[in-house]
Structure formats: C-alpha cells, structure tokens
Amino acid sequence: MSEGTIPAQQTGEEEPGEVRVPGRLTHAREFVAAMLQLCAQDRGARAALRTGVGKHPDEARRMHRYVAVWLPSLDEDTQRAYYAVAALIAARRDTEAPGQAGQAGKAGRPPEARFGESLGVAFAAAVARPRDGLRESSAEMRLHLLTRQSVAGIHRHLPAAVRQLCEKQTQPDWAQLVVDVRGWRDQRGRTGRRWLQDFYRSRRQAEIAAAKDAAERADATDADQATAAAA
C-alpha cells in the first residue's frame, strides 16, 4: 500500500472496504507508477503480471502477490480493473516507463482537468503518428466496439485494443483506464461518450494544427523563393 493511503474507514459515501484516498484517479496513478517501476526492475514480477492478460483475477494467481496490496476496495469491478491494467502494463513490449498518451498528441488534450487522458485521446495520438500511424477508420471502429461492451466484454476486448495502440508506440493513460474500467458497470454510457468525443476533438485539433504547419511551411518556401529571385 502506498505511503499516502489512509486505512479503510466507513463513511456514508464509501463502499464496504473502500480505502480513503484523495481520489480514485490519485490512487490509480500511485498504483500505475508502482507497477511500471516493478516491471522495469523485476523481470520475474513482470512475467507473473503478464500471465493475467485477458483473465479474471481468479485465474491470475501469480498476480495476487503484487496487486492485492494495492486494491482500494474488494468489490468485483475494482479488482478486475486493477488486475487487468497491471497485466496490460506488463504485457507492453517496451521496457521504459512511459509518460501519458497525451504527450504524443498534446494538441488533442481534452480540457476536463478532473480527468486524465481517455482512451479516445490515445487512439487519436496513434492515428496522428507520422508515417506509421494507425488508420483513422480502424481506430474509430475499435472505439465504437469498446463502447458497446458489457463489463465482461470490455475486459475481453481491452487487450487487443491496447496492443493495437502499443504497436504504434502509443500507450494509454493507464491510471485513467483503471478508473474508467472500474466504473464501467454504472458509467459505461458516460465513459464511452467521453472516449468518442475526445477522439473526434483530438483528431480535429490535430488536423487544424497540421494545416497551420503546412501553411507556415508554404509561406516560408515562398519567402525563400522571393528572396532568391530578388538576388
């Protein structure tokens, strides 16, 4: 458990066994940082975590040692979210601790400060990659597929979605993904809407930025040609 975690205390707003923390996203960020560090430093731990990809926690016995101490609640949805994201972090091919997905596509960062960057931003960043970017239609189809899923379905389809991102050197905001998947049962509509809205807004902003950059390059070329002609 992180040093900033306060032992569980029952209040009217907490679930049974809920750990009092500054917020779900704050705790998820601490958890993700710990998993990234663990995977970078301990190959055995990373291998153990990787065995849980696409599996229910009941089938991921080797993960318990590393994930159980971080669970802020023992409800089913929370456990599945934490185990799922820990396994996906371990399964990514790179070995360095990444930043957030939005660092690959800052122009598309959504304005809602209370959220991290959604999966929609990550897919937009993958599309925006030069030369080897993900096809926009493929990203759009994947997001629409995800937003239609039940709790069981989102866990079944997430590994392929995250693998698709990582193949394009783009990683999601892991902590926000924990929060989104944890609340999927009750917030699927709202979360799915945010993923799609973030994707389309990010793509539009990227297109505007690309057009502006192209115009500036064209202006610079024209200026150089005019200077050369005058000389």
Side-chain angles (χ1 to χ4, degrees), residues 105-126:
K106 292 182 180 179
R109 189 181 183 114
E112 297 88 343
R114 69 192 182 96
F115 292 123
E117 292 182 344
S118 79
L119 208 61
V121 175
F123 271 99

Side-chain angles (χ1 to χ4, degrees), residues 91-155:
R92 74 194 198 286
R93 291 185 179 181
D94 66 294
T95 56
E96 61 182 3
Q100 302 302 334
Q103 292 184 357
K106 292 182 180 179
R109 189 181 183 114
E112 297 88 343
R114 69 192 182 96
F115 292 123
E117 292 182 344
S118 79
L119 208 61
V121 175
F123 271 99
V127 172
R129 281 186 57 83
R131 294 185 297 278
D132 63 342
L134 184 65
R135 285 192 306 166
E136 184 161 7
S137 59
S138 179
E140 189 175 17
M141 288 175 60
R142 178 72 71 176
L143 282 170
H144 277 282
L145 174 65
L146 289 171
T147 60
R148 295 195 299 268
Q149 299 305 312
S150 63
V151 172
I154 196 69
H155 282 281

Side-chain angles (χ1 to χ4, degrees), residues 175-221:
Q176 185 61 54
L177 188 59
V178 170
V179 173
D180 287 348
V181 174
R182 179 182 178 184
W184 193 259
R185 186 180 305 276
D186 298 323
Q187 301 293 327
R188 179 181 66 176
R190 182 178 299 178
T191 299
R193 180 183 67 202
R194 182 161 53 86
W195 288 3
L196 291 169
Q197 288 178 342
D198 284 351
F199 175 75
Y200 291 120
R201 281 202 302 265
S202 298
R203 289 299 303 137
R204 177 57 178 163
Q205 291 169 9
E207 290 169 358
I208 292 173
K212 181 179 178 181
D213 183 60
E216 290 175 349
R217 287 200 306 269
D219 290 343
T221 299

